[in-house]
Amino acid sequence: MVETIQWTDGGVVMIDQTRLPLEEAYVTCRTYQEVATAIRDMIIRGAPAIGVAAAMGVALGALHADGGDLDRQMDAVCETLAGTRPTAVNLFWAIDRMKRLYASMRGKPVEEIRRALVEEALRVREEDIEICRAIGRNGAPLVPDHATVLTHCNAGALATAGYGTALGVIRAAIESGKKIDVFAGETRPFLQGARLTTWELVQDGIPCTLITDNMAGHFLKSGRIGCVVVGADRIAANGDVANKIGTYPVAVLAMENNVPFYVAAPISTLDLTLAEGGQIPIEERAACEVTHIFGRRVAPDGVEVRNPAFDVTPARYVAAIVTERGVARAPYEESLRKLVERP
Ligand code: MRU
């Protein structure tokens, strides 16, 4: 399995997701500022992977803090990392987890604090892989045998510390003996589906077909798709799901064609402080991601552009939300809260 992100003596090493699949290159982040840049520039992306990167960024920040006011320096580290991408709540979840540990160690020797923060960041990474496997185990029974699964964006090993959430469900279904294949939507403008999901699946020998985003309705209507499985960046208390732009139309088309639409995500992606999806901050990215493809202009100079990176799928389109603690179904206010409160 591909290593998305690793802690090494030389720094935080990430596979460069802007260069896949043409090049398998690795980037080493030696400072927390470099980790923040890697998150913002999508060298690493995908909600859980962003969380792991942020945790490691906080640990790097502590390692490189000078002899001055550590509290003030740690605040600056956390603020910089929190300012990278606004939608995936896993980013804030991971920073809060590191902050809580730091606060609990106030007054301890700096070396001890540094060691503890590094260990915690490594734990966030290890736990993420275990969580993905549990999501896979819980979701596999939902996938019909001898069916095609449609997915959008990349919610695979590359979007996590390993194994994936939506692709974790697909991997676990195959490991349980089911014969399934995958349709991957290309996911304009960053092409996570075309570049990353297909790369992962081809590497694993999982049968996979690439389609453009505007083909989803055609194939959902054809009867070929047994279910849709996608990941999530933030899930509100009522079950509304923010995920990669283009997820919402897939969900609507799935319901129209009686195809179940499943969301696979860790508990750390739930944001029960938000009552509904309209409150989720949606990242707006640079216009050049839309006007250009691989650095080549495809739209006229000066044209107005919108580039929201995520959309919100209302809970009524979501057949189930698969987490590491179990499967939630409507009414989500109740079922999600129960999962969160479960020890
Ligand atoms: O902009 P990205 O590539 O970070 O967006 C990723 C997604 O939307 C994924 O579906 C989501 O983060 C879940 S990843 C397990």
Side-chain angles (χ1 to χ4, degrees):
M1 201 164 58
V2 58
E3 293 289 3
T4 307
I5 179 164
Q6 281 176 295
W7 180 272
T8 71
D9 290 342
V12 178
V13 178
M14 306 168 182
I15 191 164
D16 186 345
Q17 301 196 29
T18 64
R19 290 160 87 161
L20 284 171
L22 302 181
E23 241 183 293
E24 199 176 317
Y26 290 82
V27 167
T28 303
C29 299
R30 294 186 172 81
T31 63
Y32 77 87
Q33 291 97 334
E34 287 178 3
V35 171
T37 302
I39 296 172
R40 194 176 295 110
D41 293 350
M42 293 172 70
I43 284 167
I44 189 155
R45 32 67 50 202
I50 291 172
V52 176
M56 290 187 176
V58 174
L60 269 184
L63 282 187
H64 297 142
D66 58 32
D69 183 343
L70 189 58
D71 280 0
R72 197 185 44 75
Q73 293 180 72
M74 290 309 288
D75 280 350
V77 168
C78 293
E79 209 176 294
T80 302
L81 289 162
T84 50
R85 297 193 72 192
T87 304
V89 75
N90 307 61
L91 174 78
F92 308 100
W93 168 88
I95 294 170
D96 282 349
R97 176 166 164 171
M98 299 298 280
K99 267 187 182 167
R100 273 200 306 278
L101 177 65
Y102 174 71
S104 75
M105 296 194 77
R106 257 208 196 91
K108 295 251 168 72
V110 174
E111 274 319 309
E112 203 179 311
I113 296 177
R114 288 181 168 142
R115 211 171 27 248
L117 287 174
V118 171
E119 278 166 12
E120 187 72 353
L122 293 179
R123 245 190 317 271
V124 171
R125 179 182 174 280
E126 287 311 307
E127 284 174 14
D128 188 59
I129 301 172
E130 286 313 308
I131 286 168
C132 286
R133 288 199 177 272
I135 290 172
R137 277 194 300 278
N138 291 339
L142 299 174
V143 177
D145 201 0
H146 299 285
T148 298
V149 181
L150 172 64
T151 191
H152 186 66
C153 192
N154 171 266
L158 289 166
T160 60
Y163 202 69
T165 56
L167 294 196
V169 169
I170 289 165
R171 288 191 166 101
I174 290 171
E175 283 162 21
S176 75
K178 288 184 177 168
K179 299 269 174 291
I180 56 176
D181 73 311
V182 179
F183 267 38
E186 69 172 349
T187 322
R188 269 283 284 155
F190 195 72
L191 302 179
Q192 290 94 330
R195 298 188 305 104
L196 307 177
T197 295
T198 55
W199 183 76
E200 268 193 56
L201 295 176
V202 166
Q203 289 223 330
D204 274 10
I206 297 173
C208 146
T209 302
L210 174 64
I211 60 170
T212 64
D213 298 330
N214 50 2
M215 294 174 189
H218 172 79
F219 286 109
L220 282 161
K221 189 158 166 263
S222 74
R224 173 169 184 160
I225 310 291
C227 69
V228 179
V229 188
V230 297
D233 286 81
R234 199 185 288 228
I235 301 174
N238 70 343
D240 289 352
V241 174
N243 191 49
K244 180 51 52 192
I245 192 78
T247 302
Y248 169 46
V250 171
V252 174
L253 287 162
M255 180 169 272
E256 167 71 16
N257 291 287
N258 296 316
V259 176
F261 175 90
Y262 299 121
V263 174
I267 293 289
S268 55
T269 300
L270 302 181
D271 185 353
L272 302 191
T273 68
L274 302 184
E276 47 94 18
Q279 298 169 304
I280 297 174
I282 300 294
E283 177 183 12
E284 184 94 22
R285 291 188 62 88
C288 64
E289 290 182 354
V290 176
T291 53
H292 291 65
I293 297 179
F294 293 121
R296 202 191 158 112
R297 180 173 275 285
V298 293
D301 212 358
V303 70
E304 282 297 321
V305 172
R306 290 294 311 272
N307 186 13
F310 302 94
D311 59 25
V312 175
T313 299
R316 66 179 176 281
Y317 294 106
V318 180
I321 297 174
V322 183
T323 76
E324 69 273 28
R325 294 196 192 157
V327 177
R329 292 193 187 261
Y332 289 107
E333 276 91 352
E334 226 170 273
S335 57
L336 292 177
R337 197 160 294 280
K338 266 197 196 139
L339 286 183
V340 168
E341 281 164 7
R342 189 183 292 174

